Amino acid sequence: MNVSDELRSLEATGIYRLASSRAAFLDPVRLLDESYRRFRLVPSAYYSRSFGPSNQGGDAQAVRPVPYPDRKKRKRKRQPKPQELNAVERIAEARHQEARPLLINAHKSLLEAKDLLEFLPGMIKGDGCIQDVQTSSENNFVELGSSWRAPLYEMTICFQKPHGQDEEGSCHVQRRSTPLFNKVISVEENDEAEGEFQSRLYILPKGSCFLMTDFKHTRDLIPDNSNNGYNLIVIDPPWENGCVRQKEAYPTLPNRYLLYLPVQELADPAGALLVLWITNREKLRRFVEDELLPSWGVKDPTEFYWLKVKSDGSLIGDLDLFHHRPYECLLLGYINVNKEAEPGPKFKFLQGSQVIMSVPGAHSRKPPLQKILSEFIPGPKPPRCIELFARELGSGWTSWGNEPLHFQDSMYFSEK
Ligand code: SAM
């Protein structure tokens, strides 16, 4: 294989930039691995839904798709004819037609990157180590956190003493117990920690911080000193939608609750980039653009797209399928940033839409964005980052939600 600089960059950084289009391909496993020193994510466990080349079986070696309880066979909605669309659906279709050339161009440039296409199947399998992802035995934090016992649950956090090993080569491990719910838990900068809870182990990245609570407690996230606000705020809300309900994947929230997220109080007064994942529903888009973003102080958002591909580079579904687009949208905008001001040396204003491509992991799991967005994040470097409704942790991030430890279960990791 002829290895290009872009492929070398993918191997080293998790990002392959497609110079011929406003697009990049990401390997979330490599990007997430940067948060760990002693552990690494197992690719076959991340890429647990099999998006192999054939529609039917997928990669023979990939882990079985996650079984959702009581999953019923559902009929695919018929593709509506243009004349059957109502007024709102016609607006959604027009929006899709506007994005289409950018998406097609991005996908075309991916298919032209032959070295990347050859690399993809191996990237997904990793070194062939197949981790047994038994999701049926994992802790259900959403349920545990809403039980009367929640304030009584404790996690034992084990971390290696800074000066490593004693003369016999064994490590000094320190342990401390802490309430697991409704409390901010921080991991020191120098090394990852392991958290024990109900006979399961969780890998906690160095320099990460999390708060596992329900929506009611979001004000606990507001920094005591407003100068320690966040420069990157990523929000992936549990929007109400039929697909999530059907799959019983996680609880959803009425859209209007989002108006009460303390986004402005979380933002650094020196400037923050806000990223909001939305669904392709036009009614939701209107609410977000007309009410939600203005209430958070975000004007003129820029739209990015996450285009989902299989391990052979093909799209996971027909681009034009009305009810099941193979892409998701994210809206990006600034809080506390004067767009007329001269940007600093390591900061660029967002300039138009871009396409991010990757092979999806578990249902609704989004690719990590910090690195690909780094030049657009205002304020100090490295930036202070927060994810709302998170299901995983990262170095330099505060993760909040009712299950931020979901993907930290040790079954997704192996020791280096
Ligand atoms: N960004 C995540 C990822 O990449 O894996 C997915 C987030 S998912 C769309 C929404 C999350 O919000 C789920 O973990 C869900 O359990 C959580 N959630 C739902 N209702 C909540 C509530 N009332 N308070 C806190 N979190 C909630």
Side-chain angles (χ1 to χ4, degrees):
M1 179 180 25
N2 223 347
V3 175
S4 62
D5 288 347
E6 288 80 10
L7 188 62
R8 274 191 215 103
S9 154
L10 177 70
E11 288 185 278
T13 68
I15 300 179
Y16 188 114
R17 289 188 191 272
L18 293 145
S20 56
S21 62
R22 298 177 62 82
F25 178 85
L26 306 186
D27 177 12
V29 171
R30 281 183 165 75
L31 288 163
L32 293 169
D33 267 345
E34 290 183 3
S35 288
Y36 304 92
R37 196 179 65 85
R38 287 182 288 124
F39 294 90
R40 62 187 187 92
L41 276 88
V42 176
S44 68
Y46 181 93
Y47 295 111
S48 59
R49 283 191 295 167
S50 130
F51 286 107
S54 94
N55 283 337
Q56 309 303 319
D59 274 344
Q61 291 207 35
V63 177
R64 272 181 301 116
V66 176
Y68 293 107
D70 304 321
R71 192 174 187 170
K72 294 192 184 83
K73 272 221 165 319
R74 74 196 146 97
K75 277 193 190 157
R76 276 264 145 134
K77 278 194 185 157
R78 189 176 58 83
Q79 174 77 346
K81 299 198 176 94
Q83 65 273 21
E84 292 170 355
L85 298 177
N86 64 34
V88 174
E89 289 170 337
R90 278 201 295 277
I91 297 173
E93 181 57 22
R95 209 184 277 289
H96 167 69
Q97 290 302 330
E98 208 180 305
R100 209 171 172 277
L102 186 73
L103 293 163
I104 288 181
N105 204 17
H107 189 230
K108 190 166 152 261
S109 58
L110 173 75
L111 295 180
E112 283 165 3
K114 298 291 175 222
D115 59 348
L116 174 57
L117 292 183
E118 277 180 51
F119 183 76
L120 277 187
M123 179 191 94
I124 281 154
K125 279 192 202 122
D127 56 11
C129 140
I130 306 283
Q131 194 106 318
D132 194 14
V133 178
Q134 294 278 355
T135 51
S136 53
S137 56
E138 58 190 341
N139 278 314
N140 183 335
F141 291 111
V142 179
E143 247 172 59
L144 292 166
S146 55
S147 111
W148 65 269
R149 287 199 192 95
L152 307 175
Y153 288 128
E154 293 208 326
M155 173 170 262
T156 304
I157 301 194
C158 317
F159 49 96
Q160 292 189 353
K161 262 177 102 174
H163 297 300
Q165 302 180 331
D166 63 17
E167 286 123 40
E168 279 128 45
S170 57
C171 289
H172 289 287
V173 175
Q174 287 186 336
R175 306 165 87 82
R176 70 177 152 97
S177 289
T178 173
L180 181 56
F181 292 96
N182 306 333
K183 180 164 190 292
V184 176
I185 298 178
S186 303
V187 180
E188 286 158 33
E189 293 291 334
N190 52 324
D191 197 12
E192 52 258 43
E194 287 153 78
E196 289 169 5
F197 176 65
Q198 296 206 336
S199 11
R200 294 196 75 88
L201 205 59
Y202 296 87
I203 311 300
L204 312 176
K206 54 186 158 63
S208 65
C209 178
F210 68 96
L211 173 65
M212 185 143 62
T213 64
D214 181 64
F215 190 79
K216 295 191 276 290
H217 302 276
T218 42
R219 297 199 70 82
D220 295 351
L221 292 165
I222 300 171
D224 293 337
N225 177 347
S226 66
N227 290 326
N228 292 337
Y230 295 97
N231 312 104
L232 175 61
I233 304 175
V234 174
I235 312 182
D236 182 16
W239 300 116
E240 287 180 306
N241 89 52
C243 174
V244 170
R245 240 192 332 270
Q246 229 154 15
K247 292 182 172 170
E248 296 181 24
Y250 48 75
T252 56
L253 268 185
N255 297 345
R256 302 197 71 77
Y257 280 32
L258 279 296
L259 290 164
Y260 296 94
L261 278 179
V263 171
Q264 283 201 319
E265 287 108 313
L266 293 173
D268 188 339
L273 175 66
L274 176 119
V275 179
L276 177 68
W277 287 93
I278 54 170
T279 68
N280 291 320
R281 280 182 57 228
E282 191 55 34
K283 224 172 120 189
L284 173 69
R285 169 69 76 116
R286 284 198 191 169
F287 164 68
V288 166
E289 287 186 346
D290 297 347
E291 289 188 66
L292 192 59
L293 292 181
S295 79
W296 292 343
V298 178
K299 282 194 215 111
D300 308 323
T302 301
E303 185 159 12
F304 276 34
Y305 304 93
W306 174 35
L307 189 59
K308 303 175 203 177
V309 298
K310 298 186 197 173
S311 62
D312 63 356
S314 61
L315 299 180
I316 63 159
D318 181 345
L319 182 62
D320 295 316
L321 212 55
F322 188 83
H323 293 290
H324 294 278
R325 305 278 192 222
Y327 64 90
E328 292 191 37
C329 303
L330 45 161
L331 294 179
L332 295 89
Y334 291 111
I335 304 176
N336 304 333
V337 170
N338 175 4
K339 282 204 179 164
E340 310 305 316
E342 194 56 32
K346 288 191 178 159
F347 167 60
K348 265 200 322 219
F349 287 117
L350 291 160
Q351 288 152 345
S353 296
Q354 289 192 21
V355 181
I356 294 163
M357 288 175 278
S358 72
V359 178
H363 171 70
S364 198
R365 192 173 187 182
K366 308 299 191 300
L369 297 174
Q370 180 184 346
K371 201 172 211 175
I372 191 84
L373 296 178
S374 64
E375 59 188 352
F376 305 120
I377 305 174
K381 305 280 177 213
R384 286 184 291 267
C385 309
I386 188 165
E387 182 176 359
L388 305 183
F389 303 105
R391 292 193 297 181
E392 66 195 344
L393 311 184
S395 284
W397 283 79
T398 296
S399 305
W400 166 77
N402 60 12
E403 50 172 354
L405 293 186
H406 184 89
F407 291 119
Q408 299 307 131
D409 191 304
S410 60
M411 71 183 166
Y412 295 105
F413 294 85
S414 66
E415 272 189 72
K416 271 186 186 159

